[in-house]
Amino acid sequence: MLNNIGLPGLLLIAVVVLVLFGRGKISSLMGEVGKGITAFKKGVSDGSKELEDEQAEAAKDVTPETEKDKV
């Protein structure tokens, strides 16, 4: 569907959006999008770090069974 737009079509869309919303509104919108992307990346990074920490802690807690424990 979007394969047939091409460069002239994208330029036309950009001009229409600029006329409708104005430069200031688009600038503030892009700033908010950037903040959202940054927050998302930070959340993903924190989540993966938390999972790694939990796995490392779980690996430390595992102790091998001895002959005494089996009986």
Side-chain angles (χ1 to χ4, degrees), residues 43-64:
V44 169
S45 174
D46 290 347
S48 64
K49 184 178 178 185
E50 184 177 322
L51 286 175
E52 289 173 1
D53 291 346
E54 287 177 7
Q55 288 175 352
E57 189 175 313
K60 286 183 199 176
D61 292 341
V62 175
T63 56

Side-chain angles (χ1 to χ4, degrees), residues 64-71:
E65 288 186 23
T66 61
E67 290 298 321
K68 250 185 194 179
D69 294 338
K70 290 182 183 177
V71 178

Side-chain angles (χ1 to χ4, degrees), residues 17-18 20-33:
V17 168
L18 185 62
L20 288 177
F21 295 107
R23 194 180 79 185
K25 187 72 171 180
I26 292 174
S27 176
S28 65
L29 179 65
M30 290 298 116
E32 293 298 319
V33 169

Side-chain angles (χ1 to χ4, degrees), residues 3-47:
N3 295 340
N4 299 331
I5 291 179
L7 185 61
L10 289 176
L11 289 175
L12 179 64
I13 291 170
V15 168
V16 169
V17 168
L18 185 62
V19 168
L20 288 177
F21 295 107
R23 194 180 79 185
K25 187 72 171 180
I26 292 174
S27 176
S28 65
L29 179 65
M30 290 298 116
E32 293 298 319
V33 169
K35 289 178 186 176
I37 291 171
T38 303
F40 178 77
K41 286 182 179 180
K42 185 176 186 280
V44 169
S45 174
D46 290 347

